[in-house]
């Protein structure tokens, strides 16, 4: 417990160090104001806490439909039976003590002209600034045959919770010698390395529990995050894992749930267990607020995360079009801090400073085999761009001790970020 | 930070992160840390 507290303090220091580059607004007279935040994940909960930390006089209300947040990072470990779903669950008690006003009800309507958010429980919340961190929705019209009912047979498990457990149960129920088929979508989507971490950990489960089984990943892309690191590891660890690229006919064009079959232009793949990671878009509330464009995602100002389509509305996390930044929990958390500083400064009548953002994504290829990708970002030419020379993945030729160390750091990262956001 | 950047101190991710910050930014971060009491 003591160790956890120390790491949290260290992390807050780091976070505030980032803020040193975007100086805090001078505590001006008459600051305050009302901020409503919709979405209590890594982006929204972080933003709520950091606004209160920067200027306690601002009234911050967090709108979230679910009383318990279920984190996606590390949920692939739950699917592979390495971890309990309970380890992914977090509550909002600590935010309430900050104090952030909690409204545990879904946002059902947004009036950007009148500056109000209406909730499922009938409450109408006025705001001076609105922050949306709603995450993703599945494009149910994006893959023929893949309906909400189909997801009960072929889980996506791309929002952690019941879907995660469903996929785990299906793997547990599968006989040794079965075939697991996964499909990965085209860019952009939540967690670019996620499908490949999931494939790795499912392959680990099969290797240790059902060694006669095989795993096929059908991919709508020819390239993916940390590709060479993953592929080298697969060659060494998982001979029964096969990746089919777009060029080799990997793009799934429809699914036939009755026949438990994924269809590509090149053929049909019958599955004993099918995990379809479908096309995605910003969650529906973004569309309702008028901040999503024709791509389904939300264009933002790279320095403040204010919507390019609606004034006084900011969008952070997976729903935003954040240029070179991947859709990750770490990105959402970093964006939330920048957004919090900008919102506080704008409410105080100041002009926001130019931010610098960091992302790190760890993936586990096996429980003791971690790899990472890192990037540092800044606004340039109206977009978020990578700082030249900063980005990179783990070395290709690292010894097993480095992989084990990165697996340890991956676990430490999860504990640190969830403590910062919810603890 | 400078030692991470140059590779003088071995690391997993810090070398890659440090390369994203200029010398002035590293100084600003150091000054901020220096000003913290706990």
């Amino acid at each position: 417990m003591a160790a956890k507290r120390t790491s949290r303090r260290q992390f807050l220091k780091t976070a505030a160090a980032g803020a040193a580059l975007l100086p805090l607004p001078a505590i001006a007279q008459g600051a305050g104001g009302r901020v409503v935040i919709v979405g209590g994940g890594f982006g929204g909960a972080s933003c709520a806490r950091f606004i209160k930390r920067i200027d306690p006089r601002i009234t911050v209300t967090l709108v979230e439909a679910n009383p318990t947040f279920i984190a996606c990072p590390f949920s692939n470990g739950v699917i592979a039976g390495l971890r309990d779903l309970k380890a992914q669950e977090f509550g909002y008690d600590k935010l309430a003590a900050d104090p952030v006003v909690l409204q545990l009800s879904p946002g059902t309507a947004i009036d950007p002209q009148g500056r109000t958010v209406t909730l499922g429980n009938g409450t109408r919340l006025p705001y001076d600034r609105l922050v949306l961190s709603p995450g993703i929705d599945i494009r149910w019209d994006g893959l023929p045959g893949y309906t909400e009912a189909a997801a009960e047979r072929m889980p996506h498990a791309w929002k952690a919770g019941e879907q995660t457990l469903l996929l785990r149960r299906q793997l547990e129920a599968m006989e040794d010698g079965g075939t697991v088929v996964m499909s990965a979508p085209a860019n952009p989507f939540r967690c670019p390395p996620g499908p490949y971490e999931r494939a790795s950990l499912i392959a680990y489960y099969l290797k240790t529990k059902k060694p006669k089984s095989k795993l096929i990943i059908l991919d709508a892309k020819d390239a993916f995050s940390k590709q060479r690191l993953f592929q080298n590891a697969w060659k060494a660890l998982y001979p029964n894992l096969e990746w089919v690229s777009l060029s080799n006919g990997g793009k799934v064009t429809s699914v036939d749930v009755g026949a438990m079959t994924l269809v590509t232009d090149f053929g049909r793949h019958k599955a004993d267990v099918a995990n379809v990671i479908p096309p995605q878009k910003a969650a529906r509330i973004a569309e309702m607020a008028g901040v999503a464009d024709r791509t389904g995602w939300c264009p933002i100002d790279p320095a403040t995360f204010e919507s390019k389509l609606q004034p006084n509305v900011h969008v952070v996390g997976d729903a935003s079009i954040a240029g070179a930044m991947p859709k990750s929990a770490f990105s959402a958390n970093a964006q939330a801090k920048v957004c919090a500083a900008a919102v506080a400064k704008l409410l105080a009548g100041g002009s926001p400073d130019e931010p610098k953002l960091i992302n790190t994504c760890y993936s586990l290829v096996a429980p003791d085999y971690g790899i990472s990708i890192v990037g540092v970002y800044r606004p340039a030419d109206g977009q978020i761009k990578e700082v030249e020379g900063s980005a990179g993945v783990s070395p290709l030729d690292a010894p097993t001790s480095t992989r084990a160390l990165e697996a340890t750091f991956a676990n430490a990262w999860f504990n640190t970020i969830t403590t910062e956001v919810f603890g | 930070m400078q030692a991470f950047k140059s590779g003088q101190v071995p690391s997993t991710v810090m070398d890659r992160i440090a390369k994203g910050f200029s010398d002035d930014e590293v100084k600003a971060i150091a000054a901020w840390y220096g000003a913290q009491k706990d």
Side-chain angles (χ1 to χ4, degrees):
Chain A
M1 218 41 209
K4 216 172 200 180
R5 284 185 175 278
T6 307
S7 76
R8 178 185 173 205
R9 194 170 303 131
Q10 287 302 332
F11 198 83
L12 294 181
K13 272 188 178 178
T14 313
L21 299 175
L22 26 125
L24 303 181
I27 300 300
Q29 284 191 342
R34 297 160 302 180
V35 176
V36 175
I37 299 174
V38 179
F42 286 99
S46 301
C47 197
R49 295 200 109 166
F50 275 83
I51 290 174
K52 287 306 285 185
R53 194 163 301 159
I54 293 165
D55 188 345
R57 291 167 302 172
I58 297 173
T59 305
V60 178
T61 305
L62 180 64
V63 175
E64 167 56 51
N66 302 303
T68 302
F69 174 67
I70 308 179
C72 277
F74 274 71
S75 67
N76 287 330
V78 178
I79 292 167
L82 300 166
R83 196 175 168 87
D84 201 282
L85 189 68
K86 277 265 169 256
Q88 302 298 114
E89 295 180 355
F90 300 90
Y92 297 101
D93 294 0
K94 296 289 167 63
L95 274 85
D98 276 351
V100 169
V101 181
L102 291 175
Q103 283 284 356
L104 294 175
S105 178
T108 53
I110 290 173
D111 173 2
Q113 273 72 47
R115 293 193 199 171
T116 59
V117 179
T118 304
L119 311 186
N121 63 15
T123 307
R124 185 181 284 187
L125 300 169
Y127 64 81
D128 299 308
R129 293 257 161 198
L130 173 65
V131 180
L132 299 180
S133 185
I136 58 151
D137 272 347
I138 305 299
R139 281 184 188 272
W140 294 112
D141 58 351
L143 180 61
Y146 198 68
T147 59
E148 285 187 68
E152 296 303 311
R153 288 286 306 284
M154 296 180 165
H156 54 78
W158 219 239
K159 292 182 178 186
E162 193 42 48
Q163 280 274 308
T164 312
L165 295 176
L166 177 60
L167 182 54
R168 174 177 172 157
R169 285 195 301 270
Q170 290 184 348
L171 288 167
E172 285 168 350
M174 189 183 81
E175 300 211 357
D176 191 6
T179 301
V180 180
V181 183
M182 287 179 64
S183 80
N187 294 323
F189 62 96
R190 162 178 281 178
C191 192
Y196 313 98
E197 178 190 70
R198 176 174 294 177
S200 304
L201 293 182
I202 290 176
Y204 177 83
Y205 169 78
L206 297 177
K207 184 181 177 177
T208 49
K209 300 279 171 40
K210 294 168 185 177
K212 286 182 279 185
S213 310
K214 65 175 181 177
L215 169 63
I216 300 168
I217 314 165
L218 301 172
D219 208 326
K221 301 181 293 304
D222 277 325
F224 60 85
S225 177
K226 297 179 241 186
Q227 183 166 356
R228 286 184 68 195
L229 286 163
F230 274 115
Q231 288 182 314
N232 286 356
W234 292 344
K235 202 179 283 178
L237 301 174
Y238 307 126
N240 291 349
L241 186 162
E242 183 195 353
W243 177 66
V244 184
S245 67
L246 170 67
S247 303
N248 288 318
K251 187 185 168 152
V252 174
T253 51
S254 68
V255 300
D256 181 345
V257 177
M260 275 299 280
T261 297
L262 290 82
V263 182
T264 70
D265 285 340
F266 289 51
R268 297 168 64 85
H269 297 263
K270 173 100 174 65
D272 294 295
V273 173
N275 170 215
V276 175
I277 304 170
Q280 300 148 33
K281 59 181 180 178
R284 209 170 84 81
I285 190 95
E287 215 174 297
M288 286 161 38
V291 295
D293 70 13
R294 269 182 292 176
T295 66
W297 305 98
C298 306
I300 45 95
D301 177 280
T304 62
F305 289 86
E306 185 163 2
S307 168
K308 286 187 172 166
L309 304 178
Q310 296 290 351
N312 307 305
V313 183
H314 300 247
V315 186
V316 296
D318 292 352
S320 68
I321 299 174
M325 291 189 88
K327 299 186 186 301
S328 72
F330 196 123
S331 288
N333 173 261
Q335 293 163 5
K337 290 171 187 171
V338 168
C339 181
V343 163
K345 203 139 195 194
L346 288 164
L347 286 174
S351 46
D353 297 280
E354 181 144 309
K356 209 138 187 194
L357 302 106
I358 301 173
N359 176 67
T360 302
C361 286
Y362 287 102
S363 301
L364 293 178
V365 179
D368 59 352
Y369 190 129
I371 55 177
S372 61
I373 184 164
V374 169
V376 181
Y377 308 89
R378 65 184 169 84
D381 311 321
Q383 292 177 317
I384 299 177
K385 294 202 171 161
E386 208 163 73
V387 175
E388 228 169 285
S390 71
V393 296
S394 307
L396 282 170
D397 56 355
T400 54
S401 58
T402 302
R403 307 301 189 209
L405 196 59
E406 288 220 273
T408 307
F409 290 160
N411 279 283
W413 168 79
F414 183 81
N415 293 334
T416 303
I417 195 167
T418 54
T419 303
E420 183 190 74
V421 180
F422 301 103
Chain B
M1 281 286 273
Q2 296 295 6
F4 281 130
K5 206 166 164 177
S6 66
Q8 205 181 322
V9 172
S11 65
T12 54
V13 297
M14 274 308 291
D15 52 345
R16 289 176 260 158
I17 291 170
K19 283 178 188 138
F21 292 87
S22 69
D23 291 351
D24 284 348
E25 288 167 341
V26 170
K27 277 182 202 150
I29 294 167
W32 190 90
Y33 276 118
Q36 301 309 301
K37 293 212 168 74
D38 59 338

